[in-house]
Amino acid sequence: MKILVTGATGYIGKRLISLLLNDGHTIICPVRDKKRAQNYYKNQENIELIEADFLHNHSLEAIPKNIEVAYYLIHSMSNSAKEFHVLEEKCAFNFKRFAESSSLKQVIYLSGITNDTKLSKHLLSRKNVENTLASKKYALTTFKAGIIVGSGSSSFEIIRDLVEKLPAMIAPKWLNTKTQPLAIRDVLSFLHKALAKEELYNTSHDIFGPEILTYKEMLLQFAAVRKLKRSILTVPVMTPKLSSYWLYFVTSTSYKLASSLVNSMGVEVIGEKSDINKIMDVNPMSYKEAVKLAFKKIEQNSIISSWKDSYISSGKLKNFVHKFINVPEFGCFKDFKKRKVKDKQKSLGKIWAIGGETGWYYGTFLWKIRGFLDQFFGGTGLRRGRRHPTELNAGDALDFWRVIYADKEKGKLLLYAEMVLPGEAWLEFKIEDNFIYQTATFRPHGLGGRLYWYAVMPFHWFVFNGMINNINK
């Protein structure tokens, strides 16, 4: 079949596409940044990438109309609380207008469980999108899930940060809110098996795991899987804003996402029972089983997708990575280093393993201080790490950097800074003609930017010299 998958570079989309390709389907992927997506799918056959943005109706004209099924996986949760519901409704409306002019028979939409009488803005928006997508021209199949548990998911990584960093927690009262966590593998099973299943046309089903757990119980069960002893005291005095800051400083989430999550976590996410598990032949696994499976994937370095690599974790970049690929020359400060390469393959391996658990090869304590300061002033800090220990693709998060260009065969890696800065910064590594070139470029904003550069110059001299020397060892 010819299938349209929106959100092709997102956490769910990348995993779902792998399953659809294994079935021999042709996948049409409308993406906002084609150059970024090409890194994920360059070795895949039966994939057609089309640059389109559902916020702009005119850009959808390039999408072929002879498609049979579409997956709607678009979310705008990273945007401010004032506008994300408006953006989600606009995307849904534009998608529907396109879908009704195509040969689509079925749209499969992944939403959130919306049974509570008092819903968060996020869940209200999810419900509104479902209403917007409904049409007489095609059949809508809606699955509503709560907390999704899997390697790389935002909920999994946040819980992991809390459990592994804090032996004891004084936590907000929303930790007593009940939910029904569902493994990512089961979510994908529902989405995959719903393809062209007429029994599910124009139906909506809650999908959820076999247990009803509070967030506190999820944390403690996670700790048990990791063989860690943890104690949690919940207090009623934490306001939503204070709770958001608590999540932001302790975990790897951005403040905007933390705020959205806190607003949602006060709402009970309990699904309505139905015969959907029997219809789909899916037997959802327990929460502990989902956590164990996630760590198995992490140990095997086989995490296909991570929320940190989406722009939801970005402090600066919003859509188009390739716009930052041309490093400016004028009005910039540069720190340039050059060494005659001793072992090209060894140095390339070190460059491609930089950041995350590996670190930055010199002045680790200085990098940590810079990460702490960045986080203190509202940036991402060093918390995001990296998805894979040795693989990098354009668009990947790398501590407080974003990968702009990565081509190991050509020996070039370009990073753009997502830290809080009075300007813009790039860091480039290149191996060419038996030399390693390392260039840090800073384009200051006003006098403050210039003063910042001169203030950090002494640290740069030590850090950047040490870094290229250790890369070349």
Side-chain angles (χ1 to χ4, degrees), residues 355-389:
E357 294 295 324
T358 303
W360 293 82
Y361 298 118
Y362 189 84
T364 300
F365 71 99
L366 292 174
W367 285 97
K368 287 182 177 179
I369 291 171
R370 184 63 182 89
F372 173 78
L373 290 173
D374 186 61
Q375 189 177 343
F376 182 79
F377 286 103
T380 62
L382 298 175
R383 303 167 298 162
R384 295 186 306 191
R386 49 182 293 158
R387 175 182 58 84
H388 192 279

Side-chain angles (χ1 to χ4, degrees), residues 236-251:
V237 294
M238 279 198 185
T239 64
K241 191 169 186 177
L242 193 59
S243 296
S244 300
Y245 279 117
W246 178 74
L247 267 187
Y248 168 69
F249 279 110
V250 176
T251 72

Side-chain angles (χ1 to χ4, degrees), residues 452-471:
Y452 170 83
W453 176 261
Y454 289 118
V456 298
M457 271 185 68
F459 302 104
H460 282 179
W461 190 89
F462 287 106
V463 170
F464 289 140
N465 265 308
M467 185 161 62
I468 193 170
N469 289 337
N470 286 330
I471 287 172

Side-chain angles (χ1 to χ4, degrees), residues 63-78:
I63 304 174
K65 300 289 181 73
N66 61 334
I67 47 180
E68 299 166 74
V69 177
Y71 284 91
Y72 192 83
L73 305 172
I74 296 173
H75 295 266
S76 300
M77 199 172 176
S78 59

Side-chain angles (χ1 to χ4, degrees), residues 428-445:
E428 180 184 69
F429 299 95
K430 184 168 63 175
I431 297 182
E432 191 175 73
D433 300 328
N434 295 319
F435 282 94
I436 299 178
Y437 302 91
Q438 176 186 287
T439 309
T441 302
F442 180 69
R443 180 163 61 184
H445 291 169

Side-chain angles (χ1 to χ4, degrees), residues 151-391:
S151 56
S153 74
S154 57
S155 55
F156 176 86
E157 295 298 339
I158 288 169
I159 290 172
R160 182 183 182 184
D161 281 343
L162 291 172
V163 170
E164 295 189 353
K165 290 179 181 178
L166 302 175
M169 299 178 221
I170 299 176
K173 62 180 180 180
W174 50 253
L175 252 66
N176 293 320
T177 303
K178 295 177 181 178
T179 186
Q180 285 180 285
L182 181 64
I184 179 61
R185 178 174 290 187
D186 295 322
V187 174
L188 293 171
S189 292
F190 283 113
L191 293 173
H192 185 206
K193 292 182 176 183
L195 185 66
K197 197 174 184 68
E198 293 187 13
E199 190 177 354
L200 298 178
Y201 283 9
N202 296 313
T203 63
S204 177
H205 297 274
D206 293 348
I207 53 175
F208 45 85
E211 306 149 296
I212 296 177
L213 301 171
T214 64
Y215 290 105
K216 181 177 179 179
E217 288 170 333
M218 288 173 64
L219 288 167
L220 292 174
Q221 286 195 22
F222 193 104
V225 171
R226 300 297 285 158
K227 295 181 172 56
L228 298 169
K229 289 185 178 180
R230 295 294 183 256
S231 58
I232 303 171
L233 174 65
T234 55
V235 293
V237 294
M238 279 198 185
T239 64
K241 191 169 186 177
L242 193 59
S243 296
S244 300
Y245 279 117
W246 178 74
L247 267 187
Y248 168 69
F249 279 110
V250 176
T251 72
S252 55
T253 184
S254 65
Y255 178 75
K256 284 182 180 179
L257 181 57
S259 181
S260 296
L261 289 171
V262 165
N263 289 329
S264 296
M265 285 173 172
V267 178
E268 283 200 350
V269 183
I270 308 298
E272 289 185 356
K273 291 182 179 180
S274 69
D275 57 355
I276 189 62
N277 291 359
K278 186 177 179 181
I279 293 171
M280 306 295 288
D281 190 26
V282 177
N283 185 25
M285 66 181 71
S286 70
Y287 174 68
K288 278 190 174 181
E289 287 176 313
V291 172
K292 288 175 183 176
L293 179 62
F295 274 103
K296 191 177 292 184
K297 294 292 182 184
I298 292 169
E299 290 163 5
Q300 294 169 351
N301 291 324
S302 57
I303 302 175
I304 297 173
S305 59
S306 171
W307 77 275
K308 295 175 186 177
D309 293 333
S310 72
Y311 295 118
I312 199 170
S313 72
S314 173
K316 292 187 176 183
L317 300 181
K318 298 301 177 188
N319 293 322
F320 297 96
V321 162
H322 67 266
K323 285 186 176 181
F324 296 85
I325 201 167
N326 296 315
V327 181
E329 294 290 334
F330 299 103
C332 296
F333 296 108
K334 288 184 181 286
D335 185 293
F336 177 74
K337 301 285 184 290
K338 175 183 175 182
R339 301 286 187 273
K340 189 170 179 63
V341 68
K342 296 178 179 178
D343 186 327
K344 181 179 178 179
Q345 292 306 315
K346 187 176 180 181
S347 293
L348 271 176
K350 287 184 176 181
I351 291 171
W352 251 253
I354 202 166
E357 294 295 324
T358 303
W360 293 82
Y361 298 118
Y362 189 84
T364 300
F365 71 99
L366 292 174
W367 285 97
K368 287 182 177 179
I369 291 171
R370 184 63 182 89
F372 173 78
L373 290 173
D374 186 61
Q375 189 177 343
F376 182 79
F377 286 103
T380 62
L382 298 175
R383 303 167 298 162
R384 295 186 306 191
R386 49 182 293 158
R387 175 182 58 84
H388 192 279
T390 58
E391 291 179 3

Side-chain angles (χ1 to χ4, degrees), residues 72 92 95-96 107 109 128-135 138 140:
Y72 192 83
F95 173 88
K96 178 180 179 178
V107 172
Y109 167 49
N128 186 45
V129 167
E130 181 182 1
N131 294 334
T132 303
L133 291 176
S135 172
Y138 56 79
L140 178 64

